[in-house]
Amino acid sequence: MGALLAMALGGAGPAAALGRVVLARLQPGVYVASAANAEVALANAGEVVPTLVHVTGAGVLVVDPGPHLAWGNGLLAAIRAVTPEPVRWVVNTHAHPENVLANAAFARLRPRPAFLASAATAGLMRQRCEACLARLSAQLGPAAMRGTRIVLPEPGLRHGDRLQTGATAWEVQVHAGAHSAADTVLYAPRRRLLCVGGLAYRDRVPEMQEASLQGWRRALRAVSALPADIVVGTAPGTPAQTLAPTLAYLDALAGGVAAALEAGGDAARVLSPAAAGPYRHWRYFASRHPLNVQHAWRELEDLWMNGEPLA
Ligand SMILES: [Zn+2]
């Protein structure tokens, strides 16, 4: 791994900066926006998604543009600082507001880029973006969300598709019922580059409000089989820094809850920092892990009552 890549993955060494959004270079033509590795909060204005920017030679690909118009505009300025190529593709990996509401900044471009998502994500956004925008405005304040309007993607990405962006061919995977109701993964084999949206976390306890624990574990096992050097999830990193620990946490959560169910139902054991081992040092352990135990408990108890395997 090159020194520049190591620096970018470590969160240091911004390669291009303009306005508030900083792009760090991961590979030739591939950048990631520096975002807080945090849950959405007033203090970070919802700027928590490390948007992937790929300058392809035939236009720019943007994956998960971010939470609001202001971030999207900053991102556009940062893109302009590295290339005059038009933005041609905007991909929404899943229907969480902090990932998709900055579509607004790109919809004003002429020619208009193609906005792409899975059918499930496009459908969910159509159903609930209005409510998500209202909720984010309430949480971050109307000033942070000023000018942000809903721009819906086309349901153009299917599992097994190939998305060609310039010289880069992406394999598309769509995982139903994982981190969210549907999570799209983009994989560029020749670049050994994986874009996994909300499926991978780094040094932070995953958010599971809309997750299926079992589905997420299946998705991560499938994605982990792809040869990759760089993963862009809720934070960029190597597979060992992102995919592996996220899967290990979810496996430990499932294992702990399954054992407690078998032993007659003592959730306290799963909750204890000792049982949570290395994960107790992750961000939001105290606030997020107990919620995840409850979530896992509800899901696995149903399976267990129906006599289904919990492994
Ligand atoms: Zn998400």
Side-chain angles (χ1 to χ4, degrees):
M1 187 185 298
L4 187 62
L5 171 60
M7 251 172 35
L9 294 181
L18 198 79
R20 296 184 311 134
V21 179
V22 174
L23 290 180
R25 185 174 167 280
L26 296 182
Q27 284 182 347
V30 176
Y31 304 83
V32 72
S34 299
N37 184 11
E39 299 189 0
V40 170
L42 200 55
N44 57 42
E47 295 169 353
V48 298
V49 172
T51 304
L52 179 105
V53 171
H54 178 22
V55 181
T56 71
V60 178
L61 163 72
V62 172
V63 182
D64 283 342
H68 43 56
L69 180 69
W71 169 269
N73 284 341
L75 188 60
L76 262 173
I79 291 170
R80 283 295 150 261
V82 295
T83 180
E85 289 181 25
V87 176
R88 281 189 59 195
W89 307 271
V90 176
V91 169
N92 296 140
T93 63
H94 66 292
H96 282 162
E98 63 272 27
N99 295 75
V100 305
L101 289 175
N103 279 3
F106 297 88
R108 299 187 302 188
L109 299 174
R110 293 296 175 270
R112 195 178 194 266
F115 291 84
L116 298 170
S118 67
T121 294
L124 265 176
M125 285 175 64
R126 184 175 298 277
Q127 236 174 64
R128 67 181 197 187
C129 263
E130 208 72 58
C132 287
L133 175 56
R135 207 180 60 231
L136 212 56
S137 299
Q139 192 180 0
L140 303 179
M145 301 302 290
R146 186 168 295 130
T148 305
R149 63 183 187 86
I150 291 155
V151 176
L152 297 174
E154 298 299 319
L157 299 179
R158 285 162 310 189
H159 190 83
D161 274 358
R162 211 160 244 271
L163 175 65
Q164 192 75 37
T165 61
T168 304
W170 300 87
E171 296 173 10
V172 177
Q173 294 189 354
V174 180
H175 296 277
H179 160 73
S180 71
D183 297 277
T184 296
V185 170
L186 295 183
Y187 173 52
R190 283 179 52 196
R191 288 180 168 271
R192 298 174 62 92
L193 174 63
L194 256 171
C195 219
V196 301
L199 287 174
Y201 282 64
R202 180 174 174 177
D203 302 324
R204 166 153 86 97
V205 176
E207 293 180 59
M208 300 187 73
Q209 294 98 309
E210 301 197 315
S212 157
L213 173 59
Q214 301 297 69
W216 195 340
R217 293 169 68 207
R218 275 194 297 276
L220 278 177
R221 283 197 290 263
V223 169
S224 300
L226 303 169
D229 296 324
I230 303 174
V231 179
V232 179
T234 60
T238 63
Q241 289 166 331
T242 57
L243 298 176
T246 306
L247 180 55
Y249 171 81
L250 296 176
D251 283 348
L253 184 61
V257 169
L261 281 167
E262 300 286 352
D266 182 7
R269 277 191 45 208
V270 194
L271 269 170
S272 78
Y279 317 110
R280 68 183 185 278
H281 302 298
W282 285 3
R283 295 192 81 179
Y284 305 105
F285 178 81
S287 56
R288 186 56 64 185
H289 180 63
L291 298 175
N292 288 349
V293 172
Q294 280 176 31
H295 188 97
W297 194 276
R298 280 194 300 273
E299 180 179 329
L300 296 187
E301 191 175 40
D302 282 349
L303 294 176
W304 186 68
M305 305 260 257
N306 294 328
E308 290 176 43
L310 304 183

